[in-house]
Amino acid sequence: MSSRRDDPHGRALLTDALRNKGVAFTREERERHGLVGALPPGVLSLEQQARRAWEQVQAQPDDLAKNVCLEQLHDRNEVLYHRLLTENLTELLPIVYDPTVGQAIKRYSHEYRRPRGVYLSIDHPQDVRPAFEALGLGPDDVDLVVATDAEQILGIGDWGVGGMQISVGKLAVYTAAAGLHPGRAVPVMLDVGTDNQALLNDPLYVGNRHSRARGKDYDAFVAAYVDTVRDLFPHALLHWEDFGPGNGRRLLETYGEKVCTFNDDMQGTGAITLACVLNGVRVSGTPMREQRVVVFGAGTAGVGIADQLRDAMVRDGLDGEEAVARVWCVDRQGLLLRSTDGLRDYQRVYARPDEEWSGGHERPIGLKEVVERVHPTVLVGTSTVHGAFSEDVVRSMAGHVERPVVLPLSNPTDRIEALPEDVLRWTDGKALVAAGVPVAPVELDGTTYVIGQANNALLYPGLGLGAVVARASRITDGMLQAAAEAVAGLAELSGPGAPLLPQVENLRASSATVAVAVARRAAEEGVARAPLDDVIQQVQDAMWQPEYA
């Protein structure tokens, strides 16, 4: 796949990051493109450039400096940037994305260097279409658009226009992990203002200087964005990233049946957690329909997880009501009950009947009490409350379940519900644990426990690639299920201490496997608009390689 752009010439070519080769331009290419005298005479190969770039990154004093160094490379030479990222994905994924990107977002206006992508302002909704038309791309030139309004980023909250870095980082992972062509993907910042007082009073802040717009104006602005992208790029997947709980789920429900769209915070997190639980089921032998799930942190991510696990129970033989009855959601208000004040629409389905907890219980009903009474087989944390899975809570769970599945998924590390090392120690190594952050292997009683990271990057790049290859009209629940099952199937569960998820070292190969499963499911469900005659080869052909043309 390629993208349609005017070919630059001369020194302008050195400023086109998609075509610039730097000192890899040969003598013949320099003469042909008007670059004689514009570069030092030596010619280095892409491999040599990558080695030098890796040395430059490693020489940086801290992770934020490494992020800045990589972004400067990204601005100069996209092929070299993606080559470096692809070859060193395990080391660089935490630098270009979570957790270091959080620091870059906070420093965005102060480290501002070069704009990337499309910035849309709610103050000028008439500019939405011209902004996309200015890209010079045709209806078949865009596969993916990642947009954020930056209301709730990575557990750090509202960071306004700095959220563009989250869209840019997400696309970098799509390219490195699944080969989505960087020239066919567009990062978007939907700047609707910010409620972050520090930004509003920062003289260097480069975003809109007013509080967040909400209500009809917000909805009309988002509708203008969706309608424009759908009109100009009818085959593109629209990815929503880091929207607040008041908008994320609502937007997905509004547009999910109309366009090919995906919310990673809800659907991606839910699917990667389902992959963990599916492998927990394989190890424990307890079927999905018999699981009892407690979710601590009932925001959009937590309820998205609950939805995926509920649907998996239905596929395993329960009806919808029975499956919902096997999920308990706990939030700031304690256990969600039907009488709980301030329930959001998406939380109501999991609110428990008050009569279940009518006698001898203090209000609010906390996590420890829920675990003691429910005896969950699966405990999921998306609360960002550090230490919430205390020794008492974990030991109580393990006292009634032989192989408890414990998933402290919050990040960064200072917000994780429990350290995997502690969970394993408190359960004598019986717990099946995955975390939301990278964790070193744990040594306990002569066994090495490798801790899988419930990193959405294991799933969403392959899901997106599969949707692009199939030209899917929408992302279905079945496609999410296929992605989760494909990820789960890649994990080696043969020995003691084996991780519940595959490692990120082979992310490109695993993304291809996920893409094939997703594209096939899209065809089975009748949402594929492209013929899939040889889906394995079509996936391989669609994966862009970071090589100079």
Side-chain angles (χ1 to χ4, degrees):
M1 295 184 181
S2 62
S3 59
R4 191 195 71 193
R5 295 175 187 263
D6 294 333
D7 290 334
H9 184 76
R11 290 177 184 263
L13 183 58
L14 301 179
T15 65
D16 186 322
L18 271 171
R19 290 179 170 80
N20 180 28
K21 300 182 184 181
V23 294
F25 281 115
T26 65
R27 175 66 189 179
E28 293 75 14
E29 288 172 326
R30 297 179 193 196
E31 293 175 350
R32 185 166 65 248
H33 295 299
L35 292 173
V36 174
L39 296 163
V43 177
L44 298 185
S45 67
L46 177 58
E47 292 73 19
Q48 290 171 314
Q49 287 179 301
R51 185 163 69 244
R52 179 179 60 193
W54 182 232
E55 290 177 358
Q56 292 170 341
V57 171
Q58 288 180 307
Q60 301 306 309
D62 54 44
D63 287 348
L64 180 58
K66 290 177 181 178
N67 177 278
V68 171
C69 179
L70 285 165
E71 278 304 296
Q72 290 170 337
L73 177 60
H74 198 182
D75 290 340
R76 295 195 311 272
N77 186 328
E78 290 229 21
V79 171
L80 178 55
Y81 169 82
H82 288 292
R83 178 63 168 260
L84 186 67
L85 187 56
T86 301
E87 290 181 347
N88 304 280
L89 195 56
T90 302
E91 296 87 354
L92 294 183
L93 189 59
I95 303 298
V96 301
Y97 197 61
D98 184 26
T100 308
V101 73
Q103 301 175 52
I105 289 167
K106 291 180 178 182
R107 295 288 304 165
Y108 183 78
S109 291
H110 290 257
E111 298 286 350
Y112 181 81
R113 295 172 301 279
R114 175 182 172 182
R116 179 177 292 276
V118 175
Y119 297 80
L120 303 177
S121 169
I122 197 168
D123 299 342
H124 303 284
Q126 73 277 7
D127 292 344
V128 172
R129 188 178 185 95
F132 281 106
E133 289 176 335
L135 295 172
L137 298 172
D140 294 322
D141 293 336
V142 176
D143 294 323
L144 176 65
V145 182
V146 176
T148 185
D149 73 355
E151 184 173 6
Q152 191 152 347
I153 293 178
L154 296 172
I156 65 174
D158 177 353
W159 281 90
V161 76
M164 176 56 95
Q165 287 297 102
I166 209 71
S167 295
V168 170
K170 211 77 176 182
L171 287 179
V173 180
Y174 267 113
T175 298
L180 270 292
H181 192 297
R184 299 179 61 85
V186 182
V188 173
M189 178 64 218
L190 299 171
D191 191 345
V192 299
T194 178
D195 291 339
N196 186 325
Q197 292 291 319
L199 295 180
L200 293 175
N201 290 284
D202 181 349
L204 297 183
Y205 180 58
V206 295
N208 282 329
R209 290 180 180 274
H210 57 70
S211 62
R212 281 191 169 268
R214 304 187 188 277
K216 292 182 180 179
D217 289 344
Y218 178 94
D219 289 346
F221 178 57
V222 173
Y225 157 70
V226 173
D227 291 345
T228 298
V229 173
R230 181 168 53 177
D231 185 37
L232 294 179
F233 314 121
H235 305 301
L237 165 63
L238 277 66
H239 177 128
W240 308 94
E241 187 69 23
D242 287 341
F243 285 72
N247 293 316
R249 191 179 187 94
R250 184 173 59 83
L251 292 175
L252 187 63
E253 291 173 348
T254 299
Y255 295 108
E257 297 295 320
K258 301 175 183 177
V259 295
C260 187
T261 191
F262 168 70
N263 184 310
D264 188 44
D265 305 302
M266 293 166 48
Q267 296 169 297
T269 302
I272 197 66
T273 306
L274 173 59
C276 290
V277 175
L278 290 174
N279 278 341
V281 165
R282 288 167 60 189
V283 174
S284 69
T286 302
M288 196 69 212
R289 62 183 175 274
E290 295 179 13
Q291 301 295 321
R292 298 182 301 278
V293 178
V294 170
V295 178
F296 183 54
T300 51
V303 175
I305 290 169
D307 289 345
Q308 296 270 352
L309 299 183
R310 173 203 63 195
D311 293 348
M313 294 183 207
V314 170
R315 290 191 292 269
D316 200 36
L318 299 183
D319 64 33
E321 191 172 323
E322 291 172 327
V324 166
R326 287 185 163 270
V327 179
W328 290 259
C329 290
V330 184
D331 207 64
R332 294 181 182 88
Q333 314 98 308
L335 177 67
L336 299 189
L337 301 171
R338 291 175 183 169
S339 63
T340 300
D341 292 335
L343 287 179
R344 296 186 180 272
D345 290 345
Y346 58 84
Q347 295 172 325
R348 292 186 186 281
V349 67
Y350 295 106
R352 311 295 299 192
D354 285 64
E355 53 268 25
E356 284 185 2
W357 301 79
S358 57
H361 300 281
E362 294 183 2
R363 301 298 176 96
I365 301 164
L367 176 65
K368 184 173 183 291
E369 186 174 353
V370 172
V371 169
E372 287 174 347
R373 174 163 171 176
V374 168
H375 302 162
T377 58
V378 177
L379 179 60
V380 178
T382 55
S383 68
T384 69
V385 179
H386 182 73
F389 294 175
S390 64
E391 183 173 357
D392 287 346
V393 167
V394 173
R395 287 191 181 277
S396 174
M397 182 183 181
H400 300 92
V401 179
E402 179 64 23
R403 299 303 304 271
V405 178
V406 182
L407 307 174
L409 302 182
S410 291
N411 59 70
T413 304
D414 61 4
R415 294 176 180 264
I416 195 170
E417 287 81 8
L419 296 174
E421 179 180 3
D422 291 335
V423 173
L424 288 167
R425 182 163 47 82
W426 296 333
T427 62
D428 297 324
K430 294 179 181 179
L432 300 167
V433 189
V437 296
V439 177
V442 176
E443 299 287 340
L444 182 66
D445 297 332
T447 299
T448 300
Y449 295 85
V450 180
I451 309 301
Q453 184 186 0
N455 189 332
N456 291 14
L458 289 166
L459 188 137
Y460 73 80
L463 175 72
L465 177 61
V468 167
V469 169
R471 288 272 173 103
S473 59
R474 59 190 179 91
I475 301 293
T476 67
D477 291 342
M479 291 162 71
L480 291 167
Q481 174 198 351
E485 291 174 346
V487 171
L490 290 166
E492 292 288 342
L493 302 177
S494 54
L500 291 177
L501 292 169
Q503 302 299 293
V504 299
E505 286 88 344
N506 299 315
L507 196 51
R508 203 168 175 94
S510 60
S511 292
T513 300
V514 172
V516 169
V518 168
R520 283 175 172 162
R521 187 63 59 88
E524 292 168 6
E525 297 188 343
V527 298
R529 293 176 290 187
L532 297 174
D533 303 317
D534 185 351
V535 66
I536 293 176
Q537 190 59 48
Q538 287 170 268
V539 165
Q540 292 300 315
D541 292 344
M543 295 179 75
W544 176 78
Q545 302 294 331
E547 300 283 352
Y548 289 136

